[in-house]
Amino acid sequence: MKHYLLSVVTPSEGEPPSPEALEQIMRNVDGFHQELQQAGARVFAGGLSSPTTATVVRAKDGDTMLTDGPYIEGKEYLGGLCIIKAPDPDAALDWGRKAARAITLPIEVRPFEGEAEG
C-alpha cells in the first residue's frame, strides 16, 4: 500500500469555532481516527501548534541559523496532518473526504514519492 499525507489547511484569519462547535469537531476527529485505525489505514495523525511557535533552522556557511516564527506569511497554514495507507489514489481521496467532513476544513491529499502503489 502507498502512503498519503492528509494535510489540514487552516485559515490564518477569521474567527475560530465556538467552544461548543470545537468540542463537536474534536468528537468527529476522534471518530475519524478510530475509523482509520479499525481499517488498518492509520499510520500517524496529529495537530500542530500555531505557526507563531515555529523556529526555522537554516544551514549557512557550514553552520546553522535559527529564526523565530514562520518561514513565510500566508493566508493558510498546516494545522495538522494524518499519514495514511491506501491501496490507490481513489481510496486516499475517500479518506480525505471523511477527514474534511470531520474537521470542517479543507484537506489536501498527497502521495509520498517513490512508493509503488498496490
Side-chain angles (χ1 to χ4, degrees):
M1 283 207 208
K2 191 164 180 70
H3 287 89
Y4 293 83
L5 173 66
L6 307 183
S7 302
V8 180
V9 180
T10 306
S12 298
E13 299 175 0
E15 292 294 317
S18 68
E20 297 81 19
L22 186 57
E23 186 176 315
Q24 180 62 51
I25 290 168
M26 293 313 297
R27 279 195 299 271
N28 294 344
V29 169
D30 287 343
F32 170 69
H33 288 166
Q34 288 176 13
E35 186 178 354
L36 278 173
Q37 188 71 36
Q38 290 170 351
R42 185 178 188 273
V43 175
F44 175 82
L48 296 170
S49 298
S50 161
T52 60
T53 66
T55 301
V56 178
V57 182
R58 288 184 183 85
K60 184 175 181 179
D61 300 327
D63 202 1
T64 56
M65 186 169 63
L66 305 179
T67 306
D68 290 338
Y71 178 66
I72 57 173
E73 299 286 328
K75 293 182 181 185
E76 302 168 331
Y77 65 91
L78 178 62
L81 60 98
C82 185
I83 299 173
I84 64 165
K85 294 183 286 190
D88 56 56
D90 289 336
L93 289 172
D94 286 342
W95 285 116
R97 287 181 187 96
K98 291 178 182 188
R101 285 192 295 270
I103 297 169
T104 71
L105 291 171
I107 302 295
E108 179 184 39
V109 179
R110 293 174 65 182
F112 280 82
E113 286 189 15
E115 292 184 340
E117 287 191 30

